[in-house]
Amino acid sequence: MDHLKLHTKMNYCGLLTAQKNPVPLQSVEVELQVKDHVATVISTLNYQNKEDKPVEAVFVFPLPGDAAVCHFSAKIGQTHIVAELKEKQQAREEYDDALSSGQQAFLLEESEQSPDIFSLSVGSLPPGESASIRLEYVIELAVEADEGLRFCLPAVLNPRYQPQGTEGPELPVNSVPASEVPYSLSFSARVSSPRPVSKVESSCSLEPLQFLNSDHTEAAVKLAAGHKFDRDVELLIYYKDAHQPSAVVEAGQDSAEPGTLLGDPVVMLSLYPEFPESVMSSRASCGEFVFLLDRSQSMGSLIRNNNNWHETRISSARDTLLFLLKSLPMGCYFNIYSFGSRYESIFPMSVEYSEKSMEEALKKVEMMEDDLGGTEILQPLKHIYSQPCILNQPRQLFVFTDGEVGYTKEVLDLVRKNAASHRCFSFGIGEGASSALINGLAQEGRGQAQFITGSERMQAKVMQSLKFALQPVVKDISVTWDLPEGVSATVLSPPITTIFQGQRSLLYAQVCGKNSETDCSVTVSYTLADHPFKNQLQFNLNPAKDTGLTVHRLAARSRIRSLEFEERENRGKSDEDVKKKVVELSVQSGVSSGHTAFIAVNKDSGDAVQGPLVRRDVPTPGRRLSCMVFQSSPHSCLPRRRPTVFIPHSTPVFASQASEPEPPRRDPLLQLVSLQKASGCWMLDAALASVLGKNNKEVEESKPAEVSSEVWATILALTWIQDGCKG
C-alpha cells in the first residue's frame, strides 16, 4: 500500500497513485445511432503511453445493464485487430500468455457479479505508442413517464458495497472525484424514426438540434464543446405520435447456417396493450404499499440539480417517498423500512393509511439520514417477503437506492422467487445507480423502474409508478402466433409476466421455415379483473431494410440473460450444461456474457515488448466512497494475480469540507405537497400562503363567502400546480 494513497476532497474520496502518474486514456468519443426505440452506441477510447516504460492500462467502467456488447477491436498504428469472443477463463489465459511473451493484447470482460460493469485491459503498450479501442453495443431505450425515450451514457461508476464475509467482486474499481477526470468526451447522436422527431433534451448542454430532412424524421445533435466526461449523459428523445405497436423483422446473416440464431430471421415485437376504460375506471383503490429506503453512507452524496438546491441522494429519496405517501388511497395499508448495514421499520407491521398514520410516518421519514452504514439490502428484503400478505390488499414494494451493491444477481434471484406475492417498483437515486440492479428489480418483480437524477420530472415518474401499482394485476398472460404453413416461431425472450396500461412490452422470436405468404399476427391474451381480454398485432415477414444485426443481438442478449438466471437457479445440478449453452450462444451471436470475454492479440507487432509492464488503473468518475483498499503491483511476465477490492464493514471514510454548506432550499412544489392532507385536501393557513407567495390575510380575503376554507385552499393549491408552479 506504500505506493497508493487515499485521496479525499469535499464529499468524495478515491485512489490516485502517490506519484500522480499520467493516465494513458486520453479521450473518449461516442457516436449514438437511434432508430426508433433501439440505439447503437459506438465508443472509441484513445490511449497513449507518455511514459518511458511499457504499461498495462486497466479501465473499469459502467455500461447499461441490458446492453448487448457486440464488437471490440483495437487499432495500433496501421494495424487493426478485431477481437474474438471466447470462454472467459480461456480469454484471460490467452491475454496473460500474450503479455508474458511481450505481445500487445486487449481484453474486455463483463463482471460476473453485475452485468453493468466492464473491465478493459490494454496490455503491452510501448513507450510513446498510441492505441485506439472501439467498443460497440446495442440497447433498447426505456420509455419515460412523459413518453420520452431515455438513453443514458453512464460515466459515474459507484463502488459496489460488499457485506463483510461475502465474496468480493472480481473487477477492481479505481475512482476519483468527477472534477479530476483526466480524459475528455465528445458525443454525437443521430436519430431516425418513421415518426417525426419533436425534440431532444439532455442533462448536459447540447448544441442546437439539426433536422436532416424536411419531414423531421431524421435529426442530429452533439454535446456542447468543452464537456468533460465527469457525469452521466442523459438524452431524452421525443417523437410525435410515438409508442404505437410495431413489428420489425430482421433478415439473418447470409454466411450463417440456417437454423442458427444468426442464420434465421428474428422478429422484434413492440406491444402497447390498452385496457378497456370500464375496467380502469372501476379499479379498486387498495393495496399494501411497502417502501424500502436506502440509508447507507453513499446516499449522502450530492446529486446534480439544475435549480441549484443542495440536494443529496437521501433527500431526493425522501422527497420521492413524500410524493408517494401523499398520493396513497385512503383505506390501503403501508409500512416504511430503511436499511444500511442493518434495517428497521416505522411500524412493526403494515398499518391502515389514515391522516394519523401518514403524519406519524412523515415525521420519521423527515429524520432519516445516511447513517446506517453499508448497502445490505438482502436481509430487509427477506424479512419483507416473510411477512404474511394482507387479504385483498395486493402487495406493492417500492425500493429507493443508489444501487451500490456487489451481489446484484443474488438480490434479483430473491425478488424473482417471490414475484408471485408482490410487484416491485424501483427508483435509482442519483448518478451511477446500478442499471442492472434498478432495472432488474422491476423486471424480476413485475413492476417498473425509474431513475431520479434531480427534482426535474420526479413528480411525473413517481405518479406513473403509483398509477401502475394501482392497476389491477394482469393474470394468465399467453402469446399465440398465427403464421403461414411451414413457418414457426421460437420465442427468445422470457415470458411476458407483467402488463401495464400503455406500457411497452418487447418480444423477440426466431422465425424458422419459409412460405410465399408473409401476412401473420401475434395475439396476447390475459385476464384482467376476472375478465378475459386480447390484443392482436398484425404484421408481415418481409425483412426491414438497413437494420444490420441489431435485432438479432438484442434477442441474443435477452436469451443469454434468461439462461444465466436458469444457471443460478440450478446451481449444483445441471450448472455446467447451462453455462455451455450460454458460452455457445454468446460466441455464435457475438454478444458478451458473464461467461465470455473479448480477446485481441497483436501477433504482428514485430519485436516483443521488453521489460516488466507498469500497471496503470484508469480512474472512473466517482462519488463519496466507503474506505477502499486496492492490492496492486507492477506487472511482471509471470501469470498475474488479479487485483481485488476490499470494502471494510466498519471503516467508513468521512470527507472533510472547508466550510459549512448553505442550508438546502426546498423545491416549492415539494413544500406544497408536504402540506397536503391524507384525504387530498389542503388547509387555508399561513404555511400554504407562504408557498403561494402570499400572506395569510391575502388568501383569506380572496375566499368566496360560500366556499369552505378547506375547499378554497385546495383550489388555490391545485391552480398553482396547474399553472406550472408560477404562484
Side-chain angles (χ1 to χ4, degrees):
M1 280 294 295
D2 57 346
H3 63 294
L4 296 177
K5 71 173 182 180
L6 280 173
H7 179 77
T8 305
K9 180 179 180 182
M10 297 297 288
N11 283 332
Y12 313 121
C13 68
L15 278 171
L16 291 177
T17 58
Q19 297 79 18
K20 293 197 173 180
N21 291 311
V23 174
L25 179 59
Q26 302 295 300
S27 64
V28 180
E29 302 167 9
V30 177
E31 179 185 348
L32 173 66
Q33 300 172 355
V34 179
K35 293 185 178 179
D36 207 5
H37 64 268
V38 172
T40 299
V41 185
I42 302 169
S43 298
T44 303
L45 295 89
N46 299 306
Y47 288 83
Q48 185 178 13
N49 180 9
K50 294 184 178 181
E51 302 186 56
D52 58 2
K53 302 173 183 176
V55 301
E56 177 192 29
V58 179
F59 185 28
V60 179
F61 58 96
L63 284 181
D66 48 358
V69 179
C70 53
H71 177 86
F72 176 57
S73 61
K75 186 176 182 181
I76 307 97
Q78 299 302 312
T79 303
H80 185 252
I81 316 163
V82 178
E84 296 179 75
L85 258 181
K86 296 187 178 182
E87 190 275 327
K88 181 173 285 186
Q89 189 56 39
Q90 179 186 350
R92 286 176 172 178
E93 290 173 0
E94 288 188 20
Y95 177 81
D96 286 336
D97 289 346
L99 298 196
S100 297
S101 60
Q103 293 178 307
Q104 293 172 335
F106 308 87
L107 181 70
L108 179 69
E109 56 181 307
E110 175 185 317
S111 166
E112 292 175 9
Q113 299 295 324
S114 186
D116 61 348
I117 301 178
F118 279 75
S119 174
L120 169 59
S121 300
V122 178
S124 293
L125 196 60
E129 183 73 87
S130 297
S132 178
I133 308 298
R134 181 183 171 101
L135 168 67
E136 184 175 327
Y137 65 87
V138 292
I139 190 171
E140 306 149 354
L141 300 185
V143 183
E144 291 283 277
D146 60 359
E147 296 195 335
L149 292 173
R150 178 181 184 265
F151 167 77
C152 182
L153 178 69
V156 177
L157 176 55
N158 295 325
R160 304 299 198 244
Y161 177 84
Q162 201 71 28
Q164 189 176 34
T166 61
E167 183 180 351
E170 78 282 8
L171 297 180
V173 177
N174 188 14
S175 183
V176 298
S179 60
E180 296 186 9
V181 174
Y183 41 89
S184 61
L185 168 72
S186 64
F187 177 89
S188 63
R190 186 180 180 114
V191 182
S192 63
S193 171
R195 295 170 289 280
V197 179
S198 57
K199 62 179 177 177
V200 176
E201 297 179 345
S202 178
S203 59
C204 305
S205 297
L206 297 175
E207 293 183 1
L209 182 67
Q210 293 184 326
F211 291 105
L212 305 179
N213 56 11
S214 58
D215 59 6
H216 290 192
T217 56
E218 293 188 21
V221 71
K222 294 181 179 180
L223 275 182
H227 180 86
K228 292 279 285 184
F229 199 12
D230 60 353
R231 54 176 151 156
D232 294 354
V233 178
E234 184 183 58
L235 213 63
L236 292 163
I237 301 165
Y238 297 86
Y239 299 129
K240 294 180 180 177
D241 303 319
H243 315 317
Q244 302 297 317
S246 63
V248 176
V249 179
E250 184 176 81
Q253 199 172 36
D254 292 338
S255 58
E257 183 180 345
T260 64
L261 176 62
L262 291 186
D264 287 337
V266 170
V267 59
M268 174 177 65
L269 302 175
S270 300
L271 308 172
Y272 290 88
E274 292 292 334
F275 296 164
E277 182 60 34
S278 57
V279 174
M280 297 305 295
S281 61
S282 63
R283 67 180 187 270
S285 294
C286 63
E288 180 196 10
F289 296 86
V290 180
F291 304 101
L292 182 58
L293 179 67
D294 187 345
R295 289 174 57 189
S296 61
Q297 182 189 352
S298 59
M299 288 290 285
S301 298
L302 290 172
I303 63 176
R304 297 178 187 273
N305 192 315
N306 291 343
N307 295 317
N308 295 318
W309 287 295
H310 299 288
E311 190 173 30
T312 60
R313 294 177 186 173
I314 189 68
S315 64
S316 178
R318 287 196 307 257
D319 291 342
T320 307
L321 182 52
L322 169 66
F323 272 121
L324 285 163
L325 281 176
K326 292 288 185 175
S327 305
L328 292 180
M330 296 293 286
C332 73
Y333 286 75
F334 80 106
N335 201 355
I336 301 171
Y337 291 79
S338 57
F339 71 96
S341 299
R342 58 184 175 85
Y343 67 91
E344 55 191 45
S345 62
I346 288 182
F347 305 109
M349 60 185 66
S350 295
V351 299
E352 187 172 350
Y353 180 76
S354 64
E355 186 69 39
K356 180 181 178 182
S357 61
M358 183 196 74
E359 290 295 339
E360 181 181 350
L362 283 176
K363 287 178 182 177
K364 293 182 179 180
V365 169
E366 286 292 330
M367 301 296 291
M368 290 181 176
E369 296 294 345
D370 55 317
D371 53 5
L372 291 187
T375 315
E376 299 188 25
I377 194 175
L378 270 175
Q379 291 308 313
L381 280 175
K382 289 178 180 178
H383 175 79
I384 290 169
Y385 292 143
S386 71
Q387 301 301 299
C389 293
I390 302 172
L391 185 64
N392 297 323
Q393 301 285 347
R395 178 173 289 168
Q396 319 289 342
L397 175 62
F398 290 76
V399 179
F400 309 85
T401 179
D402 56 9
E404 299 184 7
V405 303
Y407 45 91
T408 299
K409 293 180 179 178
E410 190 176 349
V411 173
L412 301 186
D413 290 348
L414 176 64
V415 174
R416 187 168 187 170
K417 289 174 183 176
N418 290 275
S421 65
H422 78 303
R423 291 189 290 195
C424 182
F425 297 84
S426 53
F427 294 83
I429 308 295
E431 288 184 293
S434 168
S435 60
L437 177 69
I438 304 304
N439 287 326
L441 286 170
Q443 290 165 1
E444 304 299 356
R446 306 179 183 185
Q448 186 202 31
Q450 302 278 15
F451 289 86
I452 308 293
T453 53
S455 60
E456 300 81 11
R457 303 190 311 279
M458 182 207 292
Q459 184 187 22
K461 293 181 178 184
V462 169
M463 297 317 297
Q464 184 190 55
S465 290
L466 182 59
K467 178 182 175 182
F468 284 169
L470 290 171
Q471 288 183 14
V473 176
V474 177
K475 302 176 181 178
D476 307 323
I477 303 171
S478 63
V479 178
T480 55
W481 299 75
D482 183 8
L483 300 168
E485 186 177 354
V487 178
S488 63
T490 302
V491 176
L492 301 172
S493 312
I496 297 177
T497 57
T498 307
I499 297 177
F500 293 115
Q501 164 80 356
Q503 188 188 43
R504 182 183 69 198
S505 295
L506 286 173
L507 197 64
Y508 296 95
Q510 180 178 345
V511 180
C512 305
K514 292 184 178 180
N515 192 307
S516 57
E517 176 65 39
T518 60
D519 291 335
C520 53
S521 66
V522 63
T523 302
V524 180
S525 305
Y526 51 90
T527 300
L528 179 65
D530 297 323
H531 295 285
F533 293 98
K534 292 182 179 181
N535 289 122
Q536 187 179 72
L537 173 63
Q538 295 183 331
F539 62 99
N540 66 67
L541 293 174
N542 293 322
K545 296 181 180 179
D546 303 325
T547 55
L549 289 172
T550 301
V551 174
H552 282 75
R553 287 164 176 161
L554 289 172
R557 178 66 163 172
S558 180
R559 181 60 182 149
I560 285 170
R561 287 294 174 245
S562 296
L563 286 170
E564 288 175 337
F565 175 80
E566 182 182 334
E567 178 190 8
R568 296 194 301 276
E569 285 278 272
N570 297 332
R571 191 164 294 282
K573 299 178 183 178
S574 56
D575 188 61
E576 286 300 317
D577 291 338
V578 179
K579 177 183 175 180
K580 184 179 178 182
K581 290 180 182 178
V582 170
V583 172
E584 287 179 351
L585 179 56
S586 176
V587 171
Q588 179 197 128
S589 63
V591 172
S592 68
S593 72
H595 290 308
T596 52
F598 283 98
I599 173 68
V601 177
N602 185 6
K603 298 179 180 178
D604 301 322
S605 54
D607 295 336
V609 176
Q610 300 297 316
L613 299 183
V614 178
R615 181 188 174 101
R616 294 288 178 253
D617 290 318
V618 177
T620 303
R623 291 292 180 260
R624 185 176 68 180
L625 318 179
S626 296
C627 180
M628 302 183 65
V629 181
F630 286 76
Q631 292 182 337
S632 181
S633 58
H635 199 294
S636 69
C637 291
L638 297 175
R640 62 185 184 153
R641 293 177 57 194
R642 296 185 172 270
T644 55
V645 181
F646 299 92
I647 306 181
H649 181 72
S650 57
T651 321
V653 172
F654 294 97
S656 61
Q657 292 187 325
S659 60
E660 286 294 318
E662 299 174 26
R665 293 192 301 116
R666 199 173 195 184
D667 183 338
L669 177 59
L670 289 167
Q671 294 182 48
L672 185 64
V673 172
S674 68
L675 299 175
Q676 189 180 22
K677 301 299 180 182
S679 61
C681 71
W682 277 264
M683 304 304 292
L684 198 65
D685 55 20
L688 175 64
S690 176
V691 176
L692 301 179
K694 310 289 183 183
N695 59 49
N696 201 26
K697 183 178 179 181
E698 286 176 312
V699 295
E700 286 279 3
E701 291 179 348
S702 69
K703 182 183 75 68
E706 67 276 10
V707 178
S708 71
S709 295
E710 200 172 273
V711 170
W712 184 243
T714 303
I715 290 173
L716 291 176
L718 294 176
T719 302
W720 189 88
I721 294 172
Q722 184 75 26
D723 289 344
C725 310
K726 295 177 182 178

